Amino acid sequence: MTGYTPPTALPAWLVGDSELRAAAARHDFGTVFRLARKRAGISYSQIAAECDIKPDRVGTLARGRGEVATFEKIAQICDALRIPGRLVGLAERPWETGPHASVGAEVGEELLRRHFLGVAGLAATMPAFLARPSGRIGPAKVTCLRERTARLRRLDEVLGGGDTYRVYTAEYQATKKLLRDATYDEATGRALLSVLAEQAQQAGWAAFDGGREADATSLYEASRVAALDAGAPALVGNALAFLAYQRLGGDRRAGAEIASRSTDTIDGRTPASVRALLHERRAWACAVADLATEAERSLVAAHEALAEADGQPQPQPDWATWVDSTELDIMTGRCWAELRRPLRAVPVLEQALARYDDSHARDKALYSSWLAQAYLTAGEAEQAAVVTSRALALSDGVASVRPRRRLEPVLAELSAARYRALPAVVEVLEQARF
């Protein structure tokens, strides 16, 4: 194993950094993980895989909660990140000697970074393709792919699109290859296309979350086409809902119209959880387009569908089951904040966010931005600053562009001269500079 260099190996310049060495000496691996991603581009998902740690645990440690205390795990992290044993109080590690030991010191920083990115990309794609041999396939293979897609979807609960985009895109491309190279009957082909549509939406969401707007639009459109070919109206509706979100950044009324088309796909066979999802996404599009009455109608329809889903014994599609009462309450608060109705937005957002665990850092930071916005609309700048401070802390180290983008207008308004004398505002503006 001494000749193997893991994709999570830290470059020599970072191993020599005083902040990283100090963190390693006190066994603060959360800071080590955060520095690895922020400064060397090593994703939390890669760290989790190499260190045999659950992805949510890596994220939790990086946010300063918890510690690594066992000798075995400390040694495993050092080996995966190539942290010399002496920095953490261990004996010299096996890989520290031999012809590969000094390679990092002899290669420039930019070359090391490029090497890592190439290895990481290969590592992300290879498992997917190796798991998809060509040949004759049947329903059992499709079931395995659908279950795998559902498992990978859980990464989005704790990691941002910057970390998941390559993984999700590799899955999507592998299934496209399978559709092209394998043989199957018509029913299996349609089922494969429905999996492809799911994967395209998953990859599109990661692209959107990671700031790759054009890639997201392309993937959502590919998903819509695959869902149409598969005869899967629920997935067609969800693809349209995603496309509506993309349009909201430009022509808001057009975005609301596309969202209305997504709910037009609902029929008597549409699962209740999907109806709840499509109605809540239409509510948001209408709120952004300043269509208050339509937004409220869609929120009511979403709550009714969710109540029906809770009472249904049959399983709901995995890609829609994340919509629960807390998520719907948050969407309700977001809509009222967007419509500048703070008296309606603040109570529901405060209550819903109190039920939202900090381990979902990206989403909680993002949703908190609407609470801060609502407080500002109500003239409560100090409370807006307190909420913004919490959101900034949560979003630190998260591989998503959206929380910071959402907080920028709030910070810009807080920086106005009339608020600068408030201590809470001064503190959050200083915090935002780092």
Side-chain angles (χ1 to χ4, degrees), residues 74-423:
I74 290 171
Q76 190 173 11
I77 291 171
C78 287
D79 291 344
L81 274 62
R82 289 302 192 251
I83 299 172
R86 67 183 182 278
L87 296 186
V88 297
L90 298 178
E92 190 175 72
R93 307 303 298 157
W95 49 265
E96 292 186 62
T97 59
H100 302 277
S102 61
V103 67
E106 298 171 359
V107 184
E109 173 182 334
E110 184 58 27
L111 186 57
L112 276 168
R113 180 174 175 80
R114 289 177 185 173
H115 172 71
F116 162 74
L117 290 173
V119 171
L122 185 62
T125 56
M126 279 183 63
F129 280 102
L130 290 174
R132 309 247 207 308
S134 59
R136 184 76 180 179
I137 63 172
K141 179 65 175 179
V142 178
T143 298
C144 288
L145 291 179
R146 202 180 299 280
E147 290 174 350
R148 176 183 172 91
T149 300
R151 288 195 301 272
L152 287 173
R153 188 176 290 113
R154 301 298 177 265
L155 290 175
D156 184 67
E157 297 175 4
V158 292
L159 301 175
D163 282 336
T164 58
Y165 176 71
R166 287 185 179 181
V167 176
Y168 290 164
T169 305
E171 292 293 307
Y172 167 67
Q173 294 294 346
T175 301
K176 282 182 70 175
K177 183 176 185 295
L178 188 64
L179 274 160
R180 184 180 67 246
D181 296 345
T183 57
Y184 39 79
D185 60 27
E186 184 178 349
T188 299
R190 286 196 302 271
L192 267 177
L193 281 167
S194 72
V195 172
L196 186 72
E198 278 191 54
Q199 292 172 334
Q201 290 176 16
Q202 198 161 276
W205 174 253
F208 172 66
D209 193 48
R212 301 168 179 261
E213 303 284 346
D215 289 348
T217 300
S218 177
L219 284 160
Y220 292 152
E221 181 57 32
S223 171
R224 187 187 68 83
V225 172
L228 281 169
D229 290 344
L235 282 166
V236 172
N238 202 39
L240 288 168
F242 277 129
L243 286 166
Y245 271 35
Q246 295 295 103
R247 288 299 296 273
L248 291 174
D251 188 337
R252 297 182 175 186
R253 288 298 177 103
E257 289 173 5
I258 296 172
S260 294
R261 285 171 53 200
S262 77
T263 56
D264 288 343
T265 64
I266 293 173
D267 59 24
R269 299 168 298 168
T270 306
S273 60
V274 175
R275 283 188 275 124
L277 175 59
L278 297 182
H279 282 306
E280 82 149 26
R281 285 181 167 165
R282 180 178 183 269
W284 172 245
C286 290
V288 172
D290 201 27
L291 301 171
T293 300
E294 289 302 309
E296 187 162 21
R297 285 176 180 166
S298 288
L299 287 171
V300 170
H303 279 285
E304 290 174 349
L306 186 61
E308 186 179 332
D310 291 340
Q312 283 187 348
Q314 62 264 43
Q316 302 290 313
D318 182 80
W319 52 267
T321 54
W322 61 271
V323 180
D324 57 18
S325 58
T326 298
E327 289 283 353
L328 190 48
D329 284 347
I330 286 172
M331 179 59 81
T332 300
R334 288 172 58 190
C335 287
W336 291 124
E338 197 70 22
L339 290 164
R340 304 185 69 79
R341 309 279 183 86
L343 294 181
R344 300 186 71 170
V346 168
V348 68
L349 282 173
E350 285 278 18
Q351 293 170 20
L353 287 169
R355 304 193 300 269
Y356 218 88
D357 192 86
D358 284 0
S359 62
H360 302 287
R362 178 201 60 196
D363 290 346
K364 190 166 185 176
L366 184 67
Y367 298 154
S368 294
S369 69
W370 277 282
L371 178 58
Q373 177 185 324
Y375 272 124
L376 267 178
T377 302
E380 297 288 345
E382 287 181 295
Q383 193 58 34
V386 170
V387 173
T388 301
S389 178
R390 290 202 302 264
L392 286 171
L394 282 167
S395 65
D396 183 37
V398 171
S400 170
V401 300
R402 294 186 299 139
R404 186 69 189 215
R405 281 182 181 174
R406 273 290 312 160
L407 290 167
E408 288 296 344
V410 177
L411 289 164
E413 190 168 347
L414 285 171
S415 66
R418 63 183 181 278
Y419 298 135
R420 282 189 170 272
L422 299 173

